[in-house]
């Protein structure tokens, strides 16, 4: 699917969504739960397996023998030990859990990387991205689908420059990931807020008022009566979103809304796994300590706790 086809599809999806006046648009970026299973180690370690491996990837170890399970877990531990000092710290384990939970992001980056690193030098420049993404679309001053490609390109360039930490307009894979998924990086949060405000702030006064806030998530579409959730959102805006009670949200208030400070589930789980496996209580884990407690991290036929990782090489 080329750019035009994608954007046309997007516009149709948007139109469809807007045709359903009771459907709520959610712009809030929450940290996802690590698992939908109950976290109760007295019953089983299913939650821990999902947390450590990611629910979508955690589907194979319950078919392995304990020996195979331990061997594969040992290979994973080698990946987690980033500084190769022979120990897995809470921070390293937290980083792995976040990676496992958001593997789809890395897979998305890999897919897009191949289509944008045109000279295959292991970097993506702004020129490469612009040419690969917009290309011929910029040569048509009056596109049939009605999209303003130049405006979109200006917005992309601004985000690309923010993601590009050293300012050379050439992105490493990490910078390219920040460009594609800015909500995942602290230093990109301002651009997430700015882009959100530009989308919602219809009168371009630099603020989001109550009607703009409601209008972004709900279309009256001729209906006089608002659903209950819309009335609740009006109350939320007045009571909680608009903290200084001036009738509108500024950048900081918008940031508090769309990027809330959520409980860090990954850090809590990393500390739990270390606490349960740290035999000598030095605050970090060796490969031996992890493998000895392998049923906490992964499953096997013997434990029937089931689940783990096969595709771990990209970490």
């Amino acid at each position: 699917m080329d750019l035009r086809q994608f954007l046309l599809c997007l516009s149709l999806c948007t139109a469809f969504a807007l045709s359903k006046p009771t459907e709520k648009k959610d712009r809030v970026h929450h940290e996802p739960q690590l698992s939908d299973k109950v976290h109760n180690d007295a019953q089983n370690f299913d939650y821990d397996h999902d947390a450590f491996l990611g629910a979508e990837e955690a589907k194979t170890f319950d078919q392995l023998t304990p020996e195979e399970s331990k061997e594969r877990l040992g290979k994973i531990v080698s990946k987690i030990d980033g500084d190769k000092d022979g120990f897995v710290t809470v921070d390293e384990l937290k980083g792995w859990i976040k990676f496992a939970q958001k593997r789809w992001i890395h897979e998305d980056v890999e897919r897009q990387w191949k289509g944008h690193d045109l000279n295959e030098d292991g970097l993506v420049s702004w020129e490469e991205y612009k040419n690969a993404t917009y290309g011929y679309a910029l040569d048509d001053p009056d596109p049939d689908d009605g999209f303003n490609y130049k405006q979109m390109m200006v917005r992309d360039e601004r985000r690309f420059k923010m993601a590009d930490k050293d300012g050379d307009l050439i992105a490493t894979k990490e910078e390219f990931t920040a460009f594609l998924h800015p909500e995942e990086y602290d230093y990109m949060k301002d651009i997430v807020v700015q882009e959100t405000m530009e989308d919602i702030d219809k009168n371009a006064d630099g603020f989001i008022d109550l009607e703009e806030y409601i209008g972004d998530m709900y279309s009256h579409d001729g209906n006089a009566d608002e659903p209950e959730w819309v009335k609740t959102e009006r109350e939320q805006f007045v009571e909680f979103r608009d903290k200084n009670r001036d009738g509108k949200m500024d950048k900081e208030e918008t940031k508090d809304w769309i990027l809330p400070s959520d409980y860090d589930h990954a850090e809590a789980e990393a500390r739990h796994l270390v606490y349960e496996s740290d035999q000598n209580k030095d605050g970090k884990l060796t490969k031996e300590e992890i493998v000895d407690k392998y049923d906490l991290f992964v499953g096997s036929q013997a434990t029937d706790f089931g689940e783990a990782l096969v595709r771990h090489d990209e970490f």
Side-chain angles (χ1 to χ4, degrees):
M1 181 181 294
D2 64 23
L3 177 66
R4 290 183 178 213
Q5 291 172 318
F6 170 75
L7 292 174
L8 182 59
C9 178
L10 182 64
S11 68
L12 291 173
C13 291
T14 301
F16 177 72
L18 291 176
S19 70
K20 300 165 69 177
T22 59
E23 183 172 301
K24 181 181 178 181
K25 181 190 296 183
D26 190 3
R27 290 187 177 270
V28 181
H29 299 278
H30 287 293
E31 281 292 317
Q33 296 291 325
L34 301 182
S35 174
D36 59 4
K37 299 179 176 67
V38 175
H39 194 185
N40 185 350
D41 288 356
Q43 294 183 1
N44 57 54
F45 298 136
D46 291 348
Y47 178 98
D48 300 297
H49 297 163
D50 280 1
F52 181 67
L53 302 159
E56 291 304 314
E57 297 295 330
K59 298 180 183 296
T60 57
F61 273 43
D62 53 339
Q63 303 301 319
L64 302 177
T65 65
E67 290 73 22
E68 290 172 323
S69 184
K70 291 178 182 180
E71 180 182 359
R72 292 193 182 184
L73 176 59
K75 293 178 179 178
I76 295 172
V77 173
S78 296
K79 300 289 184 181
I80 300 173
D81 180 15
D83 58 11
K84 306 304 178 187
D85 66 349
F87 297 98
V88 170
T89 65
V90 169
D91 283 343
E92 287 174 330
L93 195 51
K94 173 184 171 181
W96 164 261
I97 291 171
K98 285 184 175 291
F99 167 82
Q101 293 293 317
K102 297 181 178 180
R103 182 178 299 277
W104 67 272
I105 290 177
H106 299 275
E107 292 175 346
D108 174 57
V109 171
E110 287 298 326
R111 283 192 299 268
Q112 298 213 42
W113 186 264
K114 294 175 182 177
H116 292 96
D117 182 13
L118 302 181
N119 62 4
E120 298 183 350
D121 66 346
L123 300 165
V124 172
S125 69
W126 166 247
E127 287 300 315
E128 284 179 311
Y129 180 82
K130 180 177 70 174
N131 292 334
T133 303
Y134 298 99
Y136 65 85
L138 297 176
D139 297 329
D140 187 351
D142 188 23
D144 295 335
D145 52 39
F147 279 96
N148 188 330
Y149 294 104
K150 291 185 177 180
Q151 186 176 21
M152 291 171 60
M153 187 182 71
V154 168
R155 182 160 159 159
D156 270 355
E157 184 176 12
R158 181 181 63 191
R159 189 198 287 190
F160 193 97
K161 288 179 176 178
M162 179 166 285
D164 175 31
K165 285 186 171 183
D166 57 12
D168 62 357
L169 285 180
I170 299 175
T172 63
K173 189 164 288 186
E174 185 72 10
E175 290 170 335
F176 193 62
T177 304
F179 166 68
L180 294 177
H181 299 278
E183 69 282 354
E184 301 296 327
Y185 291 81
D186 286 340
Y187 80 100
M188 295 293 290
K189 287 184 177 179
D190 285 345
I191 201 71
V192 176
V193 173
Q194 184 174 357
E195 290 177 358
T196 301
M197 293 190 74
E198 289 172 351
D199 289 342
I200 303 175
D201 178 20
K202 300 305 181 184
N203 63 10
D205 67 348
F207 299 92
I208 298 175
D209 61 36
L210 176 58
E211 293 312 312
E212 289 170 334
Y213 174 79
I214 295 298
D216 179 61
M217 63 181 73
Y218 171 74
S219 173
H220 284 274
D221 198 29
N223 296 327
D225 295 330
E226 292 181 340
E228 281 301 315
W229 69 261
V230 176
K231 297 176 183 177
T232 300
E233 284 296 339
R234 288 185 181 277
E235 295 172 359
Q236 289 283 320
F237 183 93
V238 173
E239 295 297 325
F240 302 106
R241 310 282 185 240
D242 177 21
K243 299 182 185 302
N244 61 6
R245 302 291 194 273
D246 66 352
K248 53 194 176 184
M249 287 195 295
D250 57 24
K251 289 182 179 179
E252 285 304 312
E253 289 167 332
T254 302
K255 184 176 182 179
D256 289 343
W257 166 43
I258 66 171
L259 297 169
S261 299
D262 289 334
Y263 176 74
D264 196 331
H265 297 281
E267 181 169 356
E269 177 64 10
R271 292 187 180 281
H272 167 67
L273 293 175
V274 170
Y275 176 82
E276 294 294 335
S277 309
D278 184 13
Q279 296 176 12
N280 63 2
K281 302 304 177 185
D282 63 351
K284 52 191 176 183
L285 302 178
T286 63
K287 180 183 290 188
E288 290 72 21
E289 286 176 320
I290 292 175
V291 173
D292 283 348
K293 193 72 172 178
Y294 82 101
D295 57 341
L296 173 64
F297 293 85
V298 299
S300 73
Q301 292 172 340
T303 63
D304 196 33
F305 281 166
E307 328 191 282
L309 182 67
V310 172
R311 292 185 299 148
H312 55 267
D313 291 337
E314 66 261 49
F315 179 72

